[in-house]
Amino acid sequence: MSVIYSSPTIVIKQFATSEESLFCDFFNDPEVMRYLPAFSISDYKALFAKVFDDYEHGPFGRWGVFDAITGACIGNCLLRVFEEDSSAYEIGYSVAKAYWGKGIGSEIAAALVAYTFSHTETGDLTALTHPDNIGSQRVLEKAGFVRTGNIVRRGADLYFFVLKRGEMEGKRFEMG
């Protein structure tokens, strides 16, 4: 199982094939799902099955976020090709409610930015948030993203954030 980031707080790593229920159960929390598109359990199982193909072909993927002390799965995150522009990549993350407000989202976003710019040649890194998800918007801004407008995806009007590779040169991420 490949670890893409580790700190005294969290570990971001590939899911094991045995962790399907761990992955799917995460999306049962209505608070976690408040700003995310809802899918059926079969959709989540299909999404989980796809992660292993992503791991094989990299650098993209959906990874588990685990508490570094307890080993509990506390979220997930992803890097993928941006659907609306294949020359850009998109990050995303979800964190269990018990871990909100503790800097975990910021640590995940910074880790994903560092991973993307060290493993790809992309010029633009993107992220989307629900307009009411102020916490996630702050996380993205802290990571260097700038809101550049709105985008409609699957009928939802979302805020569109961009981080350009050149804007990150000379900056150092505070992680952990």
Side-chain angles (χ1 to χ4, degrees), residues 161-175:
F161 288 80
V162 175
L163 176 62
K164 296 191 177 295
R165 178 184 289 273
E167 294 171 2
M168 295 315 302
E169 291 178 13
K171 291 187 180 179
R172 200 180 113 206
F173 289 105
E174 296 299 324
M175 298 208 278

PDB file of all heavy atoms in Angstrom, residues 161-175:
ATOM      1  N   PHE A 161     -12.114  27.222  -8.237  1.00  0.00           N
ATOM      2  CA  PHE A 161     -10.834  27.733  -7.722  1.00  0.00           C
ATOM      3  C   PHE A 161      -9.697  27.216  -8.585  1.00  0.00           C
ATOM      4  O   PHE A 161      -9.740  26.081  -9.072  1.00  0.00           O
ATOM      5  CB  PHE A 161     -10.616  27.251  -6.283  1.00  0.00           C
ATOM      6  CG  PHE A 161     -11.506  27.915  -5.279  1.00  0.00           C
ATOM      7  CD1 PHE A 161     -12.811  27.504  -5.113  1.00  0.00           C
ATOM      8  CD2 PHE A 161     -11.024  28.957  -4.497  1.00  0.00           C
ATOM      9  CE1 PHE A 161     -13.643  28.110  -4.177  1.00  0.00           C
ATOM     10  CE2 PHE A 161     -11.848  29.567  -3.560  1.00  0.00           C
ATOM     11  CZ  PHE A 161     -13.146  29.148  -3.403  1.00  0.00           C
ATOM     12  N   VAL A 162      -8.660  28.041  -8.752  1.00  0.00           N
ATOM     13  CA  VAL A 162      -7.498  27.667  -9.557  1.00  0.00           C
ATOM     14  C   VAL A 162      -6.224  28.026  -8.803  1.00  0.00           C
ATOM     15  O   VAL A 162      -6.146  29.067  -8.140  1.00  0.00           O
ATOM     16  CB  VAL A 162      -7.502  28.400 -10.925  1.00  0.00           C
ATOM     17  CG1 VAL A 162      -6.237  28.105 -11.713  1.00  0.00           C
ATOM     18  CG2 VAL A 162      -8.728  28.017 -11.734  1.00  0.00           C
ATOM     19  N   LEU A 163      -5.241  27.164  -8.948  1.00  0.00           N
ATOM     20  CA  LEU A 163      -3.886  27.425  -8.468  1.00  0.00           C
ATOM     21  C   LEU A 163      -2.962  27.161  -9.640  1.00  0.00           C
ATOM     22  O   LEU A 163      -2.952  26.056 -10.193  1.00  0.00           O
ATOM     23  CB  LEU A 163      -3.547  26.500  -7.296  1.00  0.00           C
ATOM     24  CG  LEU A 163      -2.126  26.586  -6.753  1.00  0.00           C
ATOM     25  CD1 LEU A 163      -1.831  27.973  -6.197  1.00  0.00           C
ATOM     26  CD2 LEU A 163      -1.920  25.528  -5.685  1.00  0.00           C
ATOM     27  N   LYS A 164      -2.218  28.170 -10.050  1.00  0.00           N
ATOM     28  CA  LYS A 164      -1.304  28.034 -11.179  1.00  0.00           C
ATOM     29  C   LYS A 164       0.083  27.656 -10.671  1.00  0.00           C
ATOM     30  O   LYS A 164       0.555  28.199  -9.683  1.00  0.00           O
ATOM     31  CB  LYS A 164      -1.258  29.332 -11.978  1.00  0.00           C
ATOM     32  CG  LYS A 164      -2.601  29.663 -12.610  1.00  0.00           C
ATOM     33  CD  LYS A 164      -2.487  30.795 -13.605  1.00  0.00           C
ATOM     34  CE  LYS A 164      -3.806  31.057 -14.271  1.00  0.00           C
ATOM     35  NZ  LYS A 164      -4.281  29.958 -15.095  1.00  0.00           N
ATOM     36  N   ARG A 165       0.711  26.723 -11.373  1.00  0.00           N
ATOM     37  CA  ARG A 165       2.031  26.236 -10.974  1.00  0.00           C
ATOM     38  C   ARG A 165       3.015  27.388 -10.755  1.00  0.00           C
ATOM     39  O   ARG A 165       3.713  27.412  -9.756  1.00  0.00           O
ATOM     40  CB  ARG A 165       2.592  25.278 -12.021  1.00  0.00           C
ATOM     41  CG  ARG A 165       3.983  24.775 -11.670  1.00  0.00           C
ATOM     42  CD  ARG A 165       4.554  23.894 -12.768  1.00  0.00           C
ATOM     43  NE  ARG A 165       3.895  22.616 -12.849  1.00  0.00           N
ATOM     44  CZ  ARG A 165       4.241  21.543 -12.147  1.00  0.00           C
ATOM     45  NH1 ARG A 165       5.231  21.596 -11.313  1.00  0.00           N
ATOM     46  NH2 ARG A 165       3.591  20.413 -12.296  1.00  0.00           N
ATOM     47  N   GLY A 166       3.076  28.327 -11.647  1.00  0.00           N
ATOM     48  CA  GLY A 166       4.024  29.435 -11.534  1.00  0.00           C
ATOM     49  C   GLY A 166       3.830  30.269 -10.283  1.00  0.00           C
ATOM     50  O   GLY A 166       4.772  30.873  -9.777  1.00  0.00           O
ATOM     51  N   GLU A 167       2.605  30.305  -9.772  1.00  0.00           N
ATOM     52  CA  GLU A 167       2.336  31.078  -8.558  1.00  0.00           C
ATOM     53  C   GLU A 167       2.875  30.394  -7.317  1.00  0.00           C
ATOM     54  O   GLU A 167       2.971  30.996  -6.262  1.00  0.00           O
ATOM     55  CB  GLU A 167       0.827  31.319  -8.416  1.00  0.00           C
ATOM     56  CG  GLU A 167       0.289  32.213  -9.515  1.00  0.00           C
ATOM     57  CD  GLU A 167      -1.227  32.295  -9.523  1.00  0.00           C
ATOM     58  OE1 GLU A 167      -1.881  31.682  -8.658  1.00  0.00           O
ATOM     59  OE2 GLU A 167      -1.749  32.968 -10.427  1.00  0.00           O
ATOM     60  N   MET A 168       3.258  29.123  -7.435  1.00  0.00           N
ATOM     61  CA  MET A 168       3.746  28.377  -6.280  1.00  0.00           C
ATOM     62  C   MET A 168       5.264  28.389  -6.176  1.00  0.00           C
ATOM     63  O   MET A 168       5.805  28.008  -5.160  1.00  0.00           O
ATOM     64  CB  MET A 168       3.258  26.926  -6.340  1.00  0.00           C
ATOM     65  CG  MET A 168       1.746  26.802  -6.227  1.00  0.00           C
ATOM     66  SD  MET A 168       0.995  27.811  -4.933  1.00  0.00           S
ATOM     67  CE  MET A 168       1.837  27.227  -3.485  1.00  0.00           C
ATOM     68  N   GLU A 169       5.953  28.831  -7.217  1.00  0.00           N
ATOM     69  CA  GLU A 169       7.412  28.819  -7.176  1.00  0.00           C
ATOM     70  C   GLU A 169       7.903  29.727  -6.064  1.00  0.00           C
ATOM     71  O   GLU A 169       7.442  30.855  -5.885  1.00  0.00           O
ATOM     72  CB  GLU A 169       7.969  29.256  -8.534  1.00  0.00           C
ATOM     73  CG  GLU A 169       7.708  28.202  -9.603  1.00  0.00           C
ATOM     74  CD  GLU A 169       8.197  28.616 -10.969  1.00  0.00           C
ATOM     75  OE1 GLU A 169       8.956  29.587 -11.079  1.00  0.00           O
ATOM     76  OE2 GLU A 169       7.815  27.931 -11.928  1.00  0.00           O
ATOM     77  N   GLY A 170       8.822  29.215  -5.311  1.00  0.00           N
ATOM     78  CA  GLY A 170       9.395  29.977  -4.204  1.00  0.00           C
ATOM     79  C   GLY A 170       8.554  29.931  -2.935  1.00  0.00           C
ATOM     80  O   GLY A 170       8.998  30.402  -1.892  1.00  0.00           O
ATOM     81  N   LYS A 171       7.364  29.354  -2.984  1.00  0.00           N
ATOM     82  CA  LYS A 171       6.538  29.246  -1.780  1.00  0.00           C
ATOM     83  C   LYS A 171       6.789  27.900  -1.124  1.00  0.00           C
ATOM     84  O   LYS A 171       7.043  26.911  -1.797  1.00  0.00           O
ATOM     85  CB  LYS A 171       5.058  29.396  -2.115  1.00  0.00           C
ATOM     86  CG  LYS A 171       4.682  30.788  -2.544  1.00  0.00           C
ATOM     87  CD  LYS A 171       3.192  30.920  -2.692  1.00  0.00           C
ATOM     88  CE  LYS A 171       2.851  32.348  -3.128  1.00  0.00           C
ATOM     89  NZ  LYS A 171       1.418  32.504  -3.298  1.00  0.00           N
ATOM     90  N   ARG A 172       6.689  27.889   0.173  1.00  0.00           N
ATOM     91  CA  ARG A 172       6.858  26.663   0.919  1.00  0.00           C
ATOM     92  C   ARG A 172       5.564  26.322   1.621  1.00  0.00           C
ATOM     93  O   ARG A 172       4.933  27.198   2.189  1.00  0.00           O
ATOM     94  CB  ARG A 172       7.959  26.849   1.954  1.00  0.00           C
ATOM     95  CG  ARG A 172       8.545  25.573   2.438  1.00  0.00           C
ATOM     96  CD  ARG A 172       9.618  25.828   3.441  1.00  0.00           C
ATOM     97  NE  ARG A 172       9.056  25.287   4.686  1.00  0.00           N
ATOM     98  CZ  ARG A 172       9.390  25.692   5.870  1.00  0.00           C
ATOM     99  NH1 ARG A 172      10.248  26.644   6.026  1.00  0.00           N
ATOM    100  NH2 ARG A 172       8.854  25.139   6.927  1.00  0.00           N
ATOM    101  N   PHE A 173       5.177  25.065   1.591  1.00  0.00           N
ATOM    102  CA  PHE A 173       3.956  24.647   2.266  1.00  0.00           C
ATOM    103  C   PHE A 173       4.268  24.312   3.705  1.00  0.00           C
ATOM    104  O   PHE A 173       5.248  23.668   4.006  1.00  0.00           O
ATOM    105  CB  PHE A 173       3.360  23.403   1.597  1.00  0.00           C
ATOM    106  CG  PHE A 173       2.776  23.711   0.271  1.00  0.00           C
ATOM    107  CD1 PHE A 173       3.419  23.349  -0.889  1.00  0.00           C
ATOM    108  CD2 PHE A 173       1.569  24.388   0.169  1.00  0.00           C
ATOM    109  CE1 PHE A 173       2.891  23.635  -2.114  1.00  0.00           C
ATOM    110  CE2 PHE A 173       1.017  24.674  -1.052  1.00  0.00           C
ATOM    111  CZ  PHE A 173       1.683  24.296  -2.192  1.00  0.00           C
ATOM    112  N   GLU A 174       3.403  24.766   4.589  1.00  0.00           N
ATOM    113  CA  GLU A 174       3.460  24.361   5.981  1.00  0.00           C
ATOM    114  C   GLU A 174       2.541  23.166   6.123  1.00  0.00           C
ATOM    115  O   GLU A 174       1.337  23.308   5.990  1.00  0.00           O
ATOM    116  CB  GLU A 174       3.019  25.499   6.903  1.00  0.00           C
ATOM    117  CG  GLU A 174       3.926  26.710   6.846  1.00  0.00           C
ATOM    118  CD  GLU A 174       5.345  26.421   7.273  1.00  0.00           C
ATOM    119  OE1 GLU A 174       5.556  25.596   8.193  1.00  0.00           O
ATOM    120  OE2 GLU A 174       6.266  27.004   6.684  1.00  0.00           O
ATOM    121  N   MET A 175       3.109  22.004   6.333  1.00  0.00           N
ATOM    122  CA  MET A 175       2.299  20.806   6.464  1.00  0.00           C
ATOM    123  C   MET A 175       2.539  20.211   7.828  1.00  0.00           C
ATOM    124  O   MET A 175       3.640  20.113   8.298  1.00  0.00           O
ATOM    125  CB  MET A 175       2.656  19.809   5.371  1.00  0.00           C
ATOM    126  CG  MET A 175       2.368  20.354   3.989  1.00  0.00           C
ATOM    127  SD  MET A 175       1.993  19.112   2.792  1.00  0.00           S
ATOM    128  CE  MET A 175       3.574  18.557   2.306  1.00  0.00           C
TER     129      MET A 175
END
